[in-house]
Amino acid sequence: MEAYLDNAATTPVFSEVKDIMGKVMEEDFGNPSSRHTKGIVAEQYMKEAAEIIAGKLKCQPKEIIFTSGGTESNNMALIGTALANKRAGKHIITTRIEHASVHEPLGFLEEMGFEVTYLPVDKNGRVSAEQVKQALREDTTLVSVIYANNEIGSVQPVAEIGKMLQSEKPDVIFHTDAIQAFGKYKIVPKRLGVDLMSVSGHKIHGAKGTGFLYVRDGLKIRPILFGGGQQKGMRSGTENVPGIAGLGVAVKEIYQNHSGKTEKLYYLKKMLTDGLLQYEGVVVHGIDGMLPEEAAPHIVSAGFASVKSEVMLHALAQEGVYVSSGSACSSNHPELSGTLQAIGVQKEYLDSTLRFSLSVLTTQEQVQYAVSMVGKLLPTLRRFTRQ
Amino acid sequence: MYQAFLLKYAEIGIKGKNRYKFENALCAQVRRRLEKLEGKFTVTREQGRIFVEAEGDFDFEDAIEAMSRVFGVSSISPVQVIEDKSWENLTKEVGDFIEMQYGEEKFTFKVKSRRSDKHYPYTSPEICMEMGAYLLGRFPHLTVDVHRPEVFIWVEVREKAYVYAKVYPAACGMPLGTNGKAMLLLSGGIDSPVAGYMIAKRGVFVDAVYFHAPPYTSDRAKQKVVDLARLISRYTGPIRLHIVNFTDIQMYIYEQCPHEELTIIMRRYMMRIAEMIAKETDCLGLITGESIGQVASQTMHSLAATNDVCTLPVYRPLIGFDKQDIVDIAEKIGTYETSILPFEDCCTIFVAKHPVTKPEIPVIRRSEGYLSEKIGEMLQAAMDTIEVVEIDE
């Protein structure tokens, strides 16, 4: 049996997505900037995708800028905003549990003379609107808070922060990295007071190399890619039409029977969490005293005492269970997870934590299978631990 | 553009009556390398050298690079083939060739010539003198030095005429296939690929064995070893890489034997398995990347303890090398970047905090006695589940 439980790293594409992408590549391969029919047909796919997304976000299609994915969206949001508003101030507020694609561009901005405040999080990986309020300064221009954390799934009070900013300091621009959250929650940026929102396609069963940035109409940001002036000059480069068409379809699919999907994910998550916790020496991070609904429905971060996560990961993979150690995106660096340290995970679990992540395609049987494999492997792995 | 190459070789020139075997092996290896490139190449053997003629579209740099990886070749010179060998045309073409290869560069030269077309109106010494005079006239910045010239300009007159001057160094050594086959113990480190390269350079075909310990080593670590085998195969030719699942044996040793002896006992079993595979595949020896004193398992005592289980000769070409010397070769042959990728291999995960550095063979043998119950069937199981990857870059 195979249980792919690494959906926070990437998801398989929906077959509807694959179909439309194939069609665009084979038949409607025109460049949307071309003036002839082929170009117009290609442009039409982009318009449709933008309309689908705008419909879900309850915004205008022109507020959607297609990008190469989450990393580009985050870079564009942060660097583009900071540069466009540097006269107004050079102070940025964020959290200690952002993804590297937020953390690193902020580091770059620090090198360029910006100041960044990194807010600590509680044991469940959350900041409060009050913390953000306390950190606000006269020269603060940008607040960036991850919607749902990619390692432990903690969800931030984005609406409260947005509301607080609108009453305290309405000029401050509010960005949220919704790469793990989009599709899991019905997010309407305007209701949350969000000005910029990053989304990735391949986390919602779209293709890799796709994504978008929501940019509130009227917001001033500088492009970070220059060239032929595509997408109204905001993001030059011939558009990834097949990917964008696929992204539109993925969004449409993920929003169908949305509450049913969410319910299913929470059900599977509970099954997984309970299943893992029945074993000795297992902890699940970031759920202390919380309702399951207060954290993302698809991520379970579990620590296994006296087991090296890397070894357990490979052992599970041999049984067809695919998971991540810490966050897949940061596993290229052997250093320990920043998020786990930020939420105060005990030292013995830092290098012993695995992330299980679900998708709407995950089945009960797969979850049960994964839980039973963990149970089977734990005693053996604990017997052979390096001393 | 160049249409031909002249390949020289050093060591096989002294092989007496077996010389033709070496030359044929060398031609075969040059052909093999060139077959993988775009273009059509004809390889012929003549009087102590190899002549390669190219037809159709081919990439000059790629061809030189491919031939420089053939063991036995000591140097490669691009040759211009001149069809119309009338003196007037010959001088012009030789001049054009020098201009193309050296441009405005200043150097001292001497023309050397050979003539197999005895009807040609000039003798060899005449060709040298007259061609030298022509070149001096055409390129006033050049000077002749008949004793120690910087550049020899070779002009050969046969059915066609040939001119060459530049010399690209090549791998040297002996052609593959002139000296049997050996089994390389390939880890994922810096040393073992270099060791394999060095033995192959003596004309030896190389197969390899890698000990995989899932889940303690990842598939990426295994892929890294496959990648390394591919890189050395660019020199050594086809490699059969035997991937042995070592986990059960390793865990059994871990449970039964003293921890500080783990590494030594593990290595002894790796040698045993490598030798079993070597014998099954007609290998005449084992190759390791060991170097005295580099780590605890490579002290003289440890080497003796490891060697104790082998009946085949163990070739350790790096035995007296410093680490930097090994790194230099790894960089030259292009394995270094891959070797330093950070994936754990099975030697690092079960290492004791203080491994023995002076193991005593009787003590180690006694510890291995604790394994007697199951080790036989485990070795058999390891042999039965070998995965073979055929590599030929």
Side-chain angles (χ1 to χ4, degrees):
Chain A
M1 180 151 183
E2 197 165 276
Y4 178 80
L5 300 183
D6 201 13
N7 291 284
T10 195
T11 56
V13 292
F14 286 136
S15 63
E16 294 85 348
V17 171
K18 186 196 74 185
D19 291 345
I20 195 164
M21 288 181 70
K23 182 168 185 290
V24 176
M25 286 189 224
E26 276 179 4
E27 296 167 28
D28 303 324
F29 51 82
N31 184 329
S33 299
S34 294
R35 300 283 172 91
H36 49 65
T37 329
K38 284 273 182 208
I40 296 166
V41 170
E43 193 184 18
Q44 210 51 39
Y45 281 100
M46 291 179 41
K47 274 190 189 160
E48 267 170 47
E51 274 162 20
I52 294 169
I53 295 166
K56 306 305 176 196
L57 263 51
K58 305 201 189 305
C59 69
Q60 307 169 55
K62 67 173 181 184
E63 293 176 304
I64 305 299
I65 297 171
F66 293 108
T67 66
S68 64
T71 294
E72 187 190 331
S73 296
N74 280 338
N75 272 263
M76 183 172 173
L78 300 168
I79 298 172
T81 303
L83 293 183
N85 296 283
K86 64 183 173 197
R87 289 220 183 89
K90 288 192 161 190
H91 180 237
I92 300 167
I93 299 171
T94 188
T95 75
R96 284 205 191 145
I97 59 160
E98 297 297 314
H99 186 267
S101 59
V102 165
H103 199 263
E104 295 296 316
L106 289 178
F108 168 73
L109 288 169
E110 282 182 299
E111 276 172 35
M112 295 184 60
F114 288 83
E115 261 185 84
V116 182
T117 300
Y118 297 90
L119 298 174
V121 292
D122 67 14
K123 64 184 176 188
N124 289 326
R126 309 218 300 172
V127 293
S128 65
E130 183 59 26
Q131 275 175 283
V132 179
K133 185 175 161 186
Q134 294 301 324
L136 283 173
R137 300 192 328 206
E138 198 50 46
D139 59 344
T140 306
T141 52
L142 173 63
V143 171
S144 179
V145 172
I146 191 167
Y147 199 115
N149 176 268
N150 53 302
E151 292 185 55
I152 57 168
S154 60
V155 173
Q156 306 304 330
V158 174
E160 286 167 43
I161 297 170
K163 207 175 287 169
M164 179 279 294
L165 288 173
Q166 277 173 346
S167 65
E168 291 295 319
K169 213 165 177 303
D171 289 345
V172 170
I173 294 161
F174 186 26
H175 166 248
T176 187
D177 163 359
I179 290 160
Q180 291 297 344
F182 182 80
K184 311 297 184 299
Y185 298 97
K186 286 186 169 174
I187 305 174
V188 178
K190 283 201 180 74
R191 276 188 211 147
L192 302 175
V194 164
D195 302 300
L196 293 159
M197 181 170 83
S198 305
V199 169
S200 162
H202 75 109
K203 310 286 190 192
I204 55 160
H205 309 274
K208 290 162 191 69
T210 67
F212 67 85
L213 179 67
Y214 160 82
V215 184
R216 178 176 54 75
D217 189 24
L219 192 73
K220 203 171 60 163
I221 76 168
R222 280 198 64 174
I224 57 170
L225 289 179
F226 301 91
Q230 286 87 347
Q231 303 199 57
K232 301 197 184 71
M234 287 308 297
R235 202 274 187 182
S236 285
T238 298
E239 297 89 341
N240 172 5
V241 184
I244 292 168
L247 177 59
V249 171
V251 171
K252 197 159 138 190
E253 291 295 321
I254 206 88
Y255 269 81
Q256 264 192 20
N257 181 23
H258 190 267
S259 54
K261 287 191 168 87
T262 310
E263 213 171 287
K264 175 187 167 182
L265 283 177
Y266 275 121
Y267 177 77
L268 293 178
K269 180 179 173 177
K270 184 170 185 329
M271 178 188 263
L272 179 59
T273 310
D274 293 348
L276 293 175
L277 286 174
Q278 72 180 315
Y279 303 122
E280 233 170 275
V282 178
V283 295
V284 172
H285 304 307
I287 57 165
D288 198 13
M290 277 174 56
L291 296 169
E293 291 75 20
E294 289 175 287
H298 65 305
I299 294 178
V300 174
S301 170
F304 302 89
S306 309
V307 176
K308 209 178 163 212
S309 54
E310 194 76 13
V311 173
M312 175 122 168
L313 182 152
H314 297 313
L316 283 170
Q318 281 187 322
E319 305 291 348
V321 178
Y322 301 99
V323 301
S324 273
S325 57
S327 150
C329 295
S330 62
S331 321
N332 291 332
H333 321 277
E335 70 253 29
L336 300 167
S337 151
T339 301
L340 296 181
Q341 280 177 320
I343 63 169
V345 167
Q346 283 169 290
K347 203 161 171 256
E348 56 171 316
Y349 288 112
L350 277 181
D351 195 18
S352 303
T353 290
L354 292 179
R355 178 188 70 185
F356 300 73
S357 49
L358 314 164
S359 88
V360 291
L361 302 176
T362 310
T363 64
Q364 277 191 46
E365 290 72 28
Q366 287 172 322
V367 170
Q368 280 160 348
Y369 176 72
V371 168
S372 71
M373 282 305 122
V374 169
K376 184 186 121 181
L377 292 167
L378 271 179
T380 325
L381 292 176
R382 283 182 175 147
R383 220 165 90 214
F384 299 98
T385 301
R386 188 171 174 178
Q387 291 164 357
Chain B
M1 209 35 215
Y2 316 100
Q3 292 143 352
F5 302 90
L6 193 68
L7 276 51
K8 295 195 177 168
Y9 42 89
E11 234 176 294
I12 56 178
I14 54 171
K15 293 295 169 189
K17 281 187 183 161
N18 285 327
R19 185 168 151 165
Y20 77 97
K21 284 188 193 163
F22 287 81
E23 287 175 335
N24 286 346
L26 186 55
C27 283
Q29 291 304 320
V30 172
R31 275 190 204 107
R32 242 193 106 257
R33 280 288 155 226
L34 290 172
E35 265 169 19
K36 293 175 189 279
L37 302 184
E38 192 193 349
K40 189 167 172 285
F41 299 89
T42 319
V43 180
T44 46
R45 170 165 76 86
E46 54 171 62
Q47 296 156 359
R49 13 182 249 180
I50 287 173
F51 196 69
V52 175
E53 277 187 283
E55 269 178 65
D57 267 348
F58 76 100
D59 187 281
F60 175 74
E61 274 82 18
D62 286 357
I64 294 267
E65 200 272 335
M67 290 186 284
S68 76
R69 280 188 271 117
V70 175
F71 293 129
V73 177
S74 66
S75 74
I76 302 155
S77 295
V79 179
Q80 177 83 344
V81 183
I82 301 162
E83 305 251 357
D84 172 6
K85 59 189 182 187
S86 67
W87 183 252
E88 200 176 321
N89 187 61
L90 183 65
T91 49
K92 182 188 166 297
E93 295 241 17
V94 170
D96 291 352
F97 177 75
I98 295 303
E99 191 167 15
M100 177 181 70
Q101 286 218 318
Y102 294 97
E104 301 284 294
E105 209 179 307
K106 278 184 191 172
F107 55 85
T108 60
F109 75 99
K110 176 184 179 179
V111 177
K112 301 254 285 178
S113 97
R114 261 185 214 176
R115 186 189 67 149
S116 61
D117 174 3
K118 299 297 174 195
H119 301 295
Y120 201 66
Y122 295 86
T123 65
S124 292
E126 282 168 352
I127 293 173
C128 294
M129 277 173 53
E130 296 299 323
M131 188 61 75
Y134 168 81
L135 292 173
L136 282 176
R138 179 163 166 187
F139 305 111
H141 59 280
L142 300 186
T143 44
V144 168
D145 180 343
V146 291
H147 301 293
R148 302 188 64 183
E150 286 161 330
V151 175
F152 284 103
I153 297 168
W154 281 90
V155 179
E156 301 193 3
V157 180
R158 305 163 189 236
E159 221 173 297
K160 297 170 191 167
Y162 303 87
V163 55
Y164 58 93
K166 278 210 168 160
V167 176
Y168 293 84
C172 296
M174 310 275 284
L176 289 170
T178 55
N179 223 329
K181 187 167 74 169
M183 180 63 66
L184 168 67
L185 281 87
L186 190 58
S187 63
I190 296 168
D191 303 344
S192 50
V194 174
Y197 164 83
M198 288 186 66
I199 295 299
K201 195 170 177 228
R202 301 309 301 164
V204 177
F205 278 125
V206 169
D207 277 349
V209 54
Y210 166 65
F211 295 92
H212 184 41
Y216 299 94
T217 60
S218 72
D219 281 344
R220 284 219 167 91
K222 178 168 134 187
Q223 187 55 47
K224 172 182 168 183
V225 171
V226 173
D227 292 344
L228 283 172
R230 289 171 57 179
L231 289 170
I232 51 175
S233 156
R234 286 161 43 82
Y235 291 91
T236 67
I239 293 178
R240 284 172 67 90
L241 172 63
H242 302 76
I243 298 171
V244 179
N245 188 326
F246 200 61
T247 312
D248 289 345
I249 295 175
Q250 194 166 315
M251 300 206 324
Y252 190 47
I253 299 171
Y254 183 86
E255 278 192 316
Q256 303 291 320
C257 302
H259 284 191
E260 61 276 11
E261 294 171 10
L262 267 180
T263 310
I264 288 293
I265 295 175
M266 229 173 66
R267 289 176 79 93
R268 282 164 61 98
Y269 277 99
M270 288 180 177
M271 290 301 244
R272 285 182 175 109
I273 293 171
E275 184 164 298
M276 283 156 79
I277 306 171
K279 285 180 173 167
E280 279 184 11
T281 56
D282 302 321
C283 288
L284 301 174
L286 303 177
I287 309 168
T288 72
E290 288 157 318
S291 151
I292 293 178
Q294 200 184 86
V295 288
S297 60
Q298 295 179 26
T299 63
M300 287 193 75
H301 295 79
S302 299
L303 289 169
T306 316
N307 206 59
D308 179 49
V309 299
C310 300
T311 58
L312 284 178
V314 181
Y315 297 101
R316 300 180 173 90
L318 308 179
I319 199 70
F321 276 47
D322 293 344
K323 193 73 188 183
Q324 190 55 49
D325 301 337
I326 302 171
V327 167
D328 289 346
I329 301 177
E331 282 180 335
K332 192 184 90 185
I333 64 174
T335 54
Y336 183 72
E337 291 296 320
T338 304
S339 286
I340 59 172
L341 292 174
F343 304 119
E344 283 196 68
D345 64 43
C346 50
C347 295
T348 60
I349 199 132
F350 279 109
V351 183
K353 276 209 182 86
H354 300 288
V356 283
T357 53
K358 291 183 182 176
E360 287 173 44
I361 292 175
V363 176
I364 299 290
R365 285 184 182 164
R366 195 179 329 126
S367 299
E368 284 181 352
Y370 304 131
L371 303 171
S372 56
E373 191 191 337
K374 289 194 210 155
I375 196 72
E377 58 185 276
M378 283 183 165
L379 286 173
Q380 193 52 52
M383 289 296 288
D384 290 345
T385 55
I386 289 172
E387 178 195 349
V388 177
V389 183
E390 305 271 358
I391 289 161
D392 186 6
E393 287 293 301

